[in-house]
Amino acid sequence: MRKKIEKDAGERMVRTGCPSHNCGGRCLLRVFVKDGVITRIEGDDRPGDTLEDPQLRACIRGRGYRHRQYHPDRLKVPMKRVGKRGEGKFARISWDEAVDRVAGEMSRVKGKYGNSAMFVPYGTGGYSQITGRQTAQRLMNLFGGSLGFYNSYSWAAIAAATPTVYGTSVTGNQRQDWLNSKYILMWSWNPAEARDGTNSEYFIRMARERGARTVCVDPRMSPSAVSLADEWVPIRPGTDTAMMSAMVHVMITEDLCDREFIRTHCVGFDETQMPPGCEGEESYRDYILGTQDGTPKTPEWAERITGVPRATIARIAREYATTKPAVLYQGYGMQRRAYGEQVVRAGCVLAAITGNVGIPGGWAGGMALQAPDGGPLWIVFPTGHNPVKASIPSFLWSEAVLRGKGMGPEDGVVGVDRLDNNIKLIYAVASNCLVNQHANINRTAGILRDEERLEFLVVQDNFLTSTGRFADILLPACTQFETWGVEDGWKYGDEVLLMPKIVEPPFETKSDYAICAEIARKLGIGEAYTKGRDERGWVEWALDRYRKTRFPGLPSLDEFERSNAGVYSVPVTKPAVAFEDFRRDPVGHPLPTPSGRIEIFSQKLFDLKKPASIPAVPKYIQEWESPFGPEAAKYPLQAVGHHGLARVHSTLDNVDWLNEAFPQRLFINPLDAGPRGIKDGEAVRVFNERGATVVPCRLTTRIMPGVVTLPQGAWWTPDEKGTDRRGSINVLTSERWTPFAFGNAQHTIMVQVEKAKGR
Ligand SMILES: Nc1nc2c(c(=O)[nH]1)N[C@H]1C(S)=C(S)[C@@H](COP(=O)(O)OP(=O)(O)OC[C@H]3O[C@@H](n4cnc5c(=O)[nH]c(N)nc54)[C@H](O)[C@@H]3O)O[C@H]1N2
Ligand SMILES: Nc1nc2c(c(=O)[nH]1)N[C@H]1C(S)=C(S)[C@@H](COP(=O)(O)OP(=O)(O)OC[C@H]3O[C@@H](n4cnc5c(=O)[nH]c(N)nc54)[C@H](O)[C@@H]3O)O[C@H]1N2
Ligand code: SF4
Ligand SMILES: [Mo]
């Protein structure tokens, strides 16, 4: 059947990287085109699918992409706001007028306030190098710069906490090495649903076939728990550090730690190895045994907090400590939470004290960028130098709109002592992070509505998103099938995927690059912006870079295009193992930490003198919204907004196929639904003091009692009373950030659920 389609007269097939939009993967698609229209999308067909170089098999989102590509609601022409900001009323304008207006506002704001009043926010929709936010960042940088940001909505706590233990985030072995493992703890990790590198779930499956036992620790019986795990351990969200601490308690009392490795490779485990000047301070062992605080972190203690039976905790501790080599993989859900730094550090410490660091089949935990050099994610479209030195944590942009001037280190500001401006102009490209994906939508919408506070907002997207509704100028970007791009792996793998322009941009849409280049021309910096290159020219530039720095065998762009291979990959024959040298010779190959060793006790954190929120050893700290706090009286249920299969964040929420397969639902346990009189499929109202959403529910024992979940990313759709009608989790989430990383803690919230009145 497939062959027949391929042979259709006039039809051509193009292999390309999936547009993917920060979906956690990078897959190969075969796109069939007839008469300038995409008619069908299929997956990787490369022969010789091996463990060393597996096919990059597409998921339903990539395969169903046609219904995004040809969606009737695509933005077609430039528009300007005609109603009040946020009302969503727009009128068509010409490209000339749109470009004039954006360039004019950039010049005005620069003249009145200076460059530091402008901002290009976090936004991950365009991930093919020559698309997305970096095109606007280059424009800004050439125009004198804009307020910068650091960290991400994905990995803030894990990326900040991992180096406090290891001095680096490159703590991951290449994934083929999982096949050497005998025991894999998938902690808050769900690669069968929330992709974490194309093929991660495949390698886990292969490891199991070779005898590894796999355990999933997650409040949800996630698709990974169902399809990849031998055991599901439901855990109360935000309490993982308590379970990990109790596991250490078992290991200490039953003498299961790798004492020799601790002695030679770690600091701060016990009183014999405290950093100079900290000799009398609480060591990790002290914390676990309760020598100073009087609370031994026993499995009994942890059972009350985590809901995991003490016997299970003790058994998992024994299994992990004795079945070697073992992997404790940390997903990002557990760190997108209050005090998310602690669980990351605790997981790394477990790996260290069991001696699983630096050995084949082991795993150091934490951020786990791919050894030996951090893997992909390291060449991007050149945004150039940002002359504005100030930078804020990505999540704190709304604070910088409200009260930027004067914000300093206590708000995570780096590069300057204090910000000299509030944000006055935002240029959002491929970002729904101003509204939909940011926390506390009702609050954020209020901030954005104020036209005196934020003076100008330009949004560049494929659709009229909830962020777009607040735009003063809306610019229609074409999709990634309609321009040139290039991709590397998301986090793992050694591939380069070519994304040739497959069809023409429809209506008046243009590529992100072309739009920014026009604005640059208007501002008199057109030449500097393009350097004479078009989108294809920049792809050629990127391939040259990859060839020089990582992939000497990478073909030229012409060859690559002619071959229609779509992907260039380097087989992994000997998977790299992080910290191998350090393991062998800790003195000759010290870690880039202050002590050169694995820092179970961090003097750097100790010196911050915030022991209650940033302790020097990893500790369980009750979250600021918790079933154990007073807030639970009104809002007794913990709510998580997990990353579901149907979407990439808010992208693809409007695709009918995906909606049909995975309708937006609140997942709730029958034990919580029953007393509330809620039946399966009924509409429920989920609310707290920040907002409310009405959405149908799914009763399921695949989520533990006391916890509900609503897949993140549904488009905020408020009714006339302000109640969201689509199940958008961020009407409920909090803008409060984590203490050390200044990261988003969007998974930490308490809510109440009731039967919806009326419809
Ligand atoms: N299908 C799909 N895949 C994606 C994405 C997508 O939008 N859709 N997004 C991609 C991106 S950008 C990212 S950053 C990653 C995100 O990847 P993650 O952040 O790892 O994804 P989450 O779904 O937030 O969390 C993973 C799991 O942790 C569980 N969890 C939540 N809180 C806790 C907790 O306190 N303890 C424990 N033990 N488990 C907890 C959730 O139930 C979930 O099953 O995914 C990538 N992959
Ligand atoms: N409650 C809660 N909130 C979360 C999370 C969570 O777990 N829970 N996860 C967080 C995480 S990990 C992330 S990464 C963020 C993601 O947040 P965002 O980076 O904002 O991602 P999306 O919501 O997918 O929005 C991307 C936008 O880019 C547009 N787009 C796609 N391709 C292109 C293109 O080529 N050009 C242009 N101009 N536009 C394009 C899409 O239409 C879409 O509107 O969300 C965060 N928000
Ligand atoms: S995992 Fe991502 S890159 Fe792969 S097909 Fe799905 S959406 Fe595309
Ligand atoms: Mo993310």
Side-chain angles (χ1 to χ4, degrees):
M1 186 65 194
R2 208 170 284 176
K3 282 221 165 64
K4 201 170 158 210
I5 289 173
E6 282 182 31
K7 279 182 192 154
D8 268 4
E11 189 171 56
R12 67 192 170 98
M13 182 271 285
V14 186
R15 290 195 185 81
T16 181
C18 173
S20 81
H21 315 286
N22 195 18
C23 68
R26 291 287 182 271
C27 307
L28 189 74
L29 299 181
R30 281 180 297 148
V31 177
F32 294 81
V33 189
K34 194 170 181 184
D35 302 327
V37 176
I38 296 172
T39 53
R40 187 179 173 84
I41 296 176
E42 303 248 356
D44 194 349
D45 63 339
R46 284 175 302 156
D49 181 33
T50 59
L51 276 170
E52 292 76 24
D53 189 13
Q55 287 186 341
L56 303 170
R57 290 179 278 271
C59 78
I60 48 161
R61 300 182 298 276
R63 286 166 179 270
Y65 204 85
R66 221 156 40 86
H67 278 213
R68 179 174 193 271
Q69 171 77 12
Y70 295 117
H71 198 292
D73 295 346
R74 283 271 306 263
L75 283 178
K76 301 174 182 70
V77 295
M79 293 194 278
K80 67 174 179 195
R81 169 168 69 83
V82 289
K84 292 209 183 76
R85 188 176 298 141
E87 267 183 5
K89 291 190 185 140
F90 296 95
R92 176 180 188 156
I93 53 174
S94 67
W95 267 113
D96 276 350
E97 185 180 343
V99 168
D100 266 356
R101 184 76 197 287
V102 176
E105 285 293 316
M106 282 173 63
S107 302
R108 184 186 67 77
V109 170
K110 175 179 170 156
K112 185 163 175 198
Y113 301 99
N115 282 81
S116 61
M118 300 195 282
F119 189 60
V120 181
Y122 185 76
T124 64
Y127 236 95
S128 53
Q129 310 276 9
I130 295 93
T131 58
R133 69 167 299 286
Q134 51 270 35
T135 58
Q137 191 64 60
R138 179 177 171 86
L139 171 69
M140 284 290 183
N141 288 354
L142 288 166
F143 191 57
S146 60
L147 177 64
F149 71 75
Y150 65 90
N151 78 20
S152 69
Y153 280 56
S154 313
W155 295 344
I158 200 165
T162 306
T164 66
V165 182
Y166 290 114
T168 171
S169 282
V170 183
T171 60
N173 307 350
Q174 281 182 306
R175 294 170 302 169
Q176 279 82 352
D177 183 59
W178 293 340
L179 273 65
N180 297 320
S181 182
K182 299 223 165 51
Y183 190 78
I184 301 178
L185 261 174
M186 305 172 68
W187 210 298
S188 173
W189 187 42
N190 178 23
E193 182 177 25
R195 276 241 155 142
D196 189 33
T198 294
N199 281 322
S200 286
E201 72 279 31
Y202 167 68
F203 288 122
I204 295 293
R205 194 175 282 273
M206 290 298 112
R208 272 183 94 194
E209 279 186 15
R210 296 191 180 194
R213 182 174 164 78
T214 49
V215 178
C216 239
V217 185
D218 196 308
R220 307 161 50 225
M221 190 181 196
S222 66
S224 300
V226 173
S227 66
L228 297 175
D230 295 303
E231 181 179 357
W232 170 45
V233 178
I235 188 165
R236 198 169 275 142
T239 67
D240 305 86
T241 314
M243 174 161 168
M244 291 176 173
S245 304
M247 286 169 65
V248 180
H249 193 277
V250 173
M251 292 177 196
I252 291 175
T253 52
E254 299 184 9
D255 196 17
L256 302 176
C257 298
D258 186 336
R259 277 191 276 133
E260 185 56 17
F261 184 78
I262 294 172
R263 192 180 65 75
T264 49
H265 289 73
C266 303
V267 294
F269 180 70
D270 61 22
E271 70 281 2
T272 65
Q273 48 171 220
M274 296 300 281
C278 297
E279 284 85 359
E281 299 299 334
E282 187 183 34
S283 71
Y284 193 49
R285 195 168 184 278
D286 287 332
Y287 169 68
I288 297 296
L289 298 181
T291 32
Q292 296 200 3
D293 67 7
T295 307
K297 311 302 174 306
T298 60
E300 296 74 24
W301 166 83
E303 176 181 299
R304 286 193 296 278
I305 296 168
T306 61
V308 183
R310 60 194 77 176
T312 307
I313 297 174
R315 178 174 50 79
I316 303 275
R318 290 179 197 123
E319 286 175 6
Y320 176 65
T322 59
T323 321
K324 288 190 187 156
V327 169
L328 192 168
Y329 192 105
Q330 305 189 284
Y332 321 113
M334 43 141 243
Q335 56 92 58
R336 205 173 294 109
R337 307 194 62 97
Y339 312 108
E341 298 91 356
Q342 298 310 310
V343 65
V344 175
R345 285 178 42 80
C348 295
V349 168
L350 269 172
I353 66 173
T354 53
N356 273 303
V357 176
I359 53 171
W363 189 258
M367 186 61 240
L369 297 180
Q370 174 183 281
D373 56 5
L377 301 165
W378 59 307
I379 290 194
V380 289
F381 175 72
T383 52
H385 170 70
N386 187 348
V388 173
K389 290 196 190 76
S391 192
I392 58 171
S394 58
F395 188 60
L396 270 71
W397 67 268
S398 49
E399 301 308 303
V401 174
L402 268 180
R403 55 179 181 91
K405 198 167 184 164
M407 264 168 73
E410 64 287 353
D411 289 308
V413 169
V414 297
V416 292
D417 292 338
R418 300 267 150 205
L419 297 188
D420 59 357
N421 267 313
N422 292 0
I423 293 175
K424 289 291 180 187
L425 176 151
I426 295 182
Y427 191 162
V429 181
S431 173
N432 206 355
C433 263
L434 295 188
V435 179
N436 218 77
Q437 297 306 104
H438 194 61
N440 201 349
I441 287 180
N442 291 315
R443 173 183 189 257
T444 321
I447 295 171
L448 292 176
R449 252 180 226 120
D450 186 337
E451 293 170 30
E452 278 170 27
R453 213 189 284 279
L454 181 70
E455 295 183 4
F456 189 65
L457 172 59
V458 48
V459 175
Q460 188 164 308
D461 205 295
N462 309 131
F463 289 97
L464 179 50
T465 60
S466 35
T467 295
R469 291 177 65 84
F470 286 78
D472 299 310
I473 294 287
L474 255 176
L475 301 177
C478 69
T479 71
Q480 292 166 48
F481 283 143
E482 295 155 357
T483 182
W484 282 84
V486 62
E487 290 174 327
D488 51 16
W490 189 75
K491 182 176 172 192
Y492 300 111
D494 283 293
E495 296 104 25
V496 177
L497 292 121
L498 184 66
M499 301 178 72
K501 177 176 176 181
I502 296 176
V503 289
E504 286 302 315
F507 313 107
E508 291 183 23
T509 63
K510 292 177 199 254
S511 77
D512 289 324
Y513 177 78
I515 297 170
C516 290
E518 270 189 48
I519 296 168
R521 263 193 295 279
K522 191 84 203 171
L523 293 169
I525 49 176
E527 260 307 300
Y529 187 85
T530 64
K531 294 206 160 164
R533 294 189 182 97
D534 59 8
E535 294 89 336
R536 193 179 186 281
W538 282 106
V539 168
E540 195 156 27
W541 174 92
L543 294 183
D544 286 345
R545 280 300 173 97
Y546 283 123
R547 196 177 306 106
K548 284 196 192 107
T549 51
R550 194 180 179 93
F551 300 112
L554 192 64
S556 71
L557 176 54
D558 285 344
E559 281 171 70
F560 209 162
E561 196 189 0
R562 217 175 309 120
S563 71
N564 196 23
V567 61
Y568 172 85
S569 56
V570 179
V572 177
T573 45
K574 188 180 176 299
V577 173
F579 305 125
E580 234 176 354
D581 291 346
F582 165 70
R583 169 97 200 188
R584 205 180 48 252
D585 177 8
V587 178
H589 296 275
L591 296 182
T593 53
S595 63
R597 296 191 181 189
I598 299 171
E599 303 216 329
I600 297 174
F601 178 102
S602 163
Q603 178 147 25
K604 188 180 153 206
L605 298 186
F606 178 77
D607 290 343
L608 294 176
K609 301 213 176 337
K610 292 185 179 162
S613 57
I614 315 177
V617 295
K619 290 187 176 181
Y620 166 69
I621 307 172
Q622 185 177 311
E623 296 194 309
W624 50 71
E625 285 185 38
S626 138
F628 308 119
E631 57 280 5
K634 260 172 115 176
Y635 305 114
L637 299 170
Q638 291 182 280
V640 172
H642 70 275
H643 292 229
L645 251 180
R647 283 186 296 267
V648 176
H649 314 293
S650 70
T651 306
L652 304 170
D653 192 38
N654 56 352
V655 173
D656 53 353
W657 280 344
L658 298 172
N659 264 307
E660 212 176 292
F662 299 97
Q664 180 73 356
R665 293 275 188 274
L666 179 86
F667 296 88
I668 182 168
N669 191 287
L671 291 175
D672 292 318
R676 290 173 172 79
I678 294 166
K679 296 197 190 65
D680 187 45
E682 278 183 345
V684 292
R685 184 167 175 269
V686 193
F687 62 100
N688 58 22
E689 75 275 12
R690 290 178 291 266
T693 180
V694 172
V695 64
C697 71
R698 162 74 68 222
L699 267 57
T700 172
T701 51
R702 286 187 179 179
I703 183 150
M704 67 185 285
V707 186
V708 294
T709 185
L710 196 54
Q712 60 105 23
W715 284 13
W716 179 49
T717 313
D719 64 14
E720 57 293 343
K721 290 193 188 124
T723 300
D724 173 65
R725 290 275 161 181
R726 172 78 189 132
S728 181
I729 184 86
N730 280 322
V731 298
L732 305 166
T733 53
S734 157
E735 71 279 8
R736 190 162 166 189
W737 52 90
T738 69
F740 177 64
F742 300 91
N744 50 335
Q746 279 157 292
H747 283 351
T748 294
I749 45 165
M750 299 297 289
V751 301
Q752 180 55 295
V753 177
E754 64 185 20
K755 237 171 127 105
K757 296 183 191 78
R759 72 179 166 103

